[in-house]
């Protein structure tokens, strides 16, 4: 199938890129072909799990007495991440044993914690990229021959510091990743999967309780104000519903959800994907809860016209309507429990940057107490 280099995202034409797995497979195939055929090549075709056949340029060819080394420069398209522009090398060396041996060199991490797709102690080369390498190299390796492929990424150690790898228990470099071989521009799927990886690792370590936070502010409040250990805190970004579903899938029993009022008030209304481009009904939801608490008509109108959550909080404070926060916290917990099919107990802590913690429901208090007892 012909590769489609562009995708339309939110009405914009954006360029697709290639995963580290595709780059590693291309470099491995090219190095093997040049070793076998004793000639230089400057581009190579490979198949991707997506079904597209792609052509990648080959650079920095090096020869020794019994090996050939080359690289592919990672191109993330219009969705560049920390690995965009790195050099992914493959060295091919003939060996006496028939078959293909894959080794990892400089800049490729080692898995140190369970819960990933690769066993502890093994190089962080995921199963799909590994199969891609075996397939592509196998196409050019003569029958009865054997080759050792050594992958390396010199920038990997430094680049890994900008990724999730240290939190995931991958040390010494980056991972060779990719399930489709193609980087989709602005791919939310890849972002969700990276967040869910942390949940899978906690589950593999035997944890039944987890703390979910949409972002950095929630994480800092959890650590500094609630004294929760950072190892059981997982970020959700805007994918709160998705992460709750993953909690069920991985066998968690209790979830403590800690978030800013402006984010969690959406969840109170059953909005589980909280990006403002998808759903921004904060003023309307706050107004509804304030009205339920007896807000007068002038306050209702001002709340509806408020531009920010902080402005709405000021209006509520002026009107003396503070019971709204506990009501919202309880509703968030109930909505999340329903979202999980009643398989999770979910406690909620709501805060703002100026006021700090505004409310926590009884379930949150119970989970916090349990977390402290487990320390």
């Amino acid at each position: 199938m012909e590769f489609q280099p562009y995708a339309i995202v939110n009405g914009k034409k954006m360029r697709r890129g290639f995963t580290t797995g595709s780059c590693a497979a291309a470099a491995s195939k090219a190095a093997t072909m040049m070793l076998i055929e004793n000639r230089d090549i400057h581009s190579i075709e490979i198949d991707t799990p997506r079904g597209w056949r792609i052509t990648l340029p080959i650079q920095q060819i090096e020869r020794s007495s019994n090996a050939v080394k080359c690289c592919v420069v990672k191109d993330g398209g219009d969705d560049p991440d920390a690995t965009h522009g790195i050099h992914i090398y493959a060295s091919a060396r003939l060996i006496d044993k028939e078959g293909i041996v894959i080794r990892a060199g400089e800049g490729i991490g080692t898995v140190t914690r369970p819960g990933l797709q690769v066993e502890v102690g093994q190089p962080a080369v995921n199963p799909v990229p590994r199969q891609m390498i075996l397939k592509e190299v196998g196409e050019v390796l003569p029958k009865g021959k054997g080759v050792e492929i050594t992958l390396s990424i010199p920038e990997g150690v430094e680049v890994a510091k900008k990724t999730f790898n240290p939190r995931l228990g991958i040390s010494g470099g980056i991972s060779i990743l990719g399930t489709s071989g193609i980087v989709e521009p602005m791919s939310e799927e890849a972002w969700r999967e990276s967040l869910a990886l942390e949940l899978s690792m906690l589950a593999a370590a035997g944890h039944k309780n987890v703390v979910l936070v949409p972002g950095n502010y929630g994480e800092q409040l959890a650590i500094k104000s609630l004294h929760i250990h950072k190892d059981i805190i997982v970020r959700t970004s805007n994918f709160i519903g998705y992460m709750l579903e993953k909690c069920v899938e991985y066998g968690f029993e209790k979830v403590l959800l800690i978030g800013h009022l402006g984010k969690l008030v959406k969840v109170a209304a059953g909005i589980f994907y909280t990006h403002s481009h998808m759903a921004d009904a904060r003023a309307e939801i706050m107004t509804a809860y304030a009205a339920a608490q007896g807000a007068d008509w002038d306050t209702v109108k001002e709340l509806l016209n408020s531009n920010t959550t902080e402005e709405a909080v000021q209006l509520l404070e002026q009107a003396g309507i503070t019971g709204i926060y506990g009501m919202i916290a309880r509703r968030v917990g109930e909505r999340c429990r329903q979202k999980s099919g009643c398989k999770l107990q979910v406690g909620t802590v709501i805060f703002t940057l100026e006021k700090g913690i505004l409310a926590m429901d009884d379930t949150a208090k119970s989970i916090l107490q349990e977390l402290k007892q487990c320390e």
Side-chain angles (χ1 to χ4, degrees):
M1 187 185 302
E2 184 180 356
F3 173 56
Q4 302 297 321
Y6 293 96
I8 304 300
V9 181
N10 296 327
K12 297 180 180 179
K13 186 179 181 181
M14 303 188 75
R15 192 167 58 88
R16 291 185 168 99
F18 309 110
T19 63
T20 50
S22 286
C23 296
S28 299
K29 182 178 184 178
T32 303
M33 183 180 291
M34 288 188 284
L35 180 66
I36 298 297
E37 299 181 3
N38 195 28
R39 65 182 180 90
D40 288 355
I41 60 174
H42 299 285
S43 66
I44 194 78
E45 287 188 344
I46 65 167
D47 292 316
T48 64
R50 176 73 179 269
W52 286 332
R53 191 163 181 82
I54 61 175
T55 301
L56 296 178
I58 301 301
Q59 301 183 26
Q60 298 185 24
I61 300 168
E62 300 177 17
R63 291 182 176 274
S64 62
S65 58
N66 64 346
V68 174
K69 183 178 181 180
C70 65
C71 84
V72 172
V73 177
K74 168 73 157 52
D75 180 0
D78 285 333
D79 190 32
D81 61 10
T83 64
H84 180 70
I86 63 173
H87 294 69
I88 300 175
Y89 289 85
S91 174
R93 180 179 68 88
L94 290 176
I95 56 177
D96 294 333
K97 183 179 178 180
E98 181 180 357
I100 303 165
V101 177
I102 301 174
R103 302 195 185 281
E106 177 187 8
I108 295 177
T110 300
V111 176
T112 63
R113 292 170 56 188
L116 298 176
Q117 294 178 291
V118 178
E119 292 183 2
V120 172
Q122 295 299 309
V125 181
N126 275 22
V128 172
R130 181 177 290 273
Q131 288 303 314
M132 290 177 68
I133 293 168
L134 292 174
K135 173 187 176 298
E136 297 300 330
V137 171
E139 288 182 356
V140 297
L141 183 67
K143 187 176 181 179
K145 294 287 186 177
V147 66
E148 179 185 79
I149 302 294
T150 301
L151 305 172
S152 60
I153 305 173
E155 306 106 314
V157 175
E158 286 302 313
V159 170
K161 298 174 183 178
K162 304 174 185 177
T163 70
F164 277 106
N165 279 17
R167 293 188 65 164
L168 295 175
I170 298 172
S171 65
I174 67 168
S175 308
I176 302 295
L177 300 171
T179 56
S180 70
I182 304 297
V183 175
E184 292 291 344
M186 311 304 239
S187 171
E188 289 189 345
E189 180 181 358
W191 180 233
R192 290 199 309 267
E193 289 177 355
S194 69
L195 295 171
L197 267 178
E198 294 194 62
L199 281 178
S200 72
M201 297 189 68
L202 281 178
H207 290 277
K208 293 297 181 183
N209 301 342
V210 65
V211 178
L212 298 183
V213 297
N216 183 60
Y217 291 129
E219 182 175 17
Q220 292 305 309
L221 182 134
I223 294 170
K224 295 179 180 179
S225 298
L226 298 176
H227 310 293
I228 297 171
H229 199 283
K230 65 179 181 178
D231 286 351
I232 62 167
I233 301 172
V234 176
R235 296 193 188 192
T236 67
S237 186
N238 289 303
F239 313 114
I240 294 176
Y242 171 83
M243 294 296 277
L244 288 170
E245 291 170 356
K246 285 295 179 180
C247 284
V248 174
E249 179 182 335
Y250 294 138
F252 288 95
E253 296 173 355
K254 297 179 182 179
V255 173
L256 181 60
L257 178 61
I258 302 173
H260 190 277
L261 175 63
K263 187 72 68 175
L264 295 194
V265 73
K266 299 179 184 181
V267 180
I271 299 169
F272 288 96
Y273 176 65
T274 58
H275 197 294
S276 59
H277 290 168
M278 179 63 68
D280 188 7
R282 291 170 296 174
E284 291 81 359
I285 300 166
M286 295 273 283
T287 301
Y289 279 97
Q293 289 282 306
D296 60 37
W297 181 238
D298 288 338
T299 301
V300 166
K301 288 191 293 184
E302 288 183 299
L303 284 169
L304 272 176
N305 291 320
S306 59
N307 292 319
T308 65
T309 306
E310 286 71 20
E311 182 183 352
V313 168
Q314 290 179 3
L315 292 170
L316 291 168
E317 296 287 333
Q318 291 169 8
I321 304 173
T322 56
I324 183 176
Y325 307 129
M327 187 179 183
I328 292 172
R330 290 189 294 273
R331 185 59 64 90
V332 170
E334 179 61 22
R335 288 283 194 178
C336 290
R337 188 181 72 85
Q338 293 170 354
K339 179 69 172 176
S340 75
C342 299
K343 295 179 180 179
L344 296 172
Q345 293 184 46
V346 182
T348 307
V349 179
I350 293 175
F351 70 91
T352 62
L353 299 182
E354 183 178 342
K355 298 288 185 179
I357 294 174
L358 296 175
M360 67 173 71
D361 61 12
D362 290 339
T363 305
K365 294 174 184 176
S366 175
I367 294 174
L368 273 171
Q369 186 64 33
E370 187 173 333
L371 293 176
K372 290 178 181 178
Q373 291 174 353
C374 294
E375 291 179 355

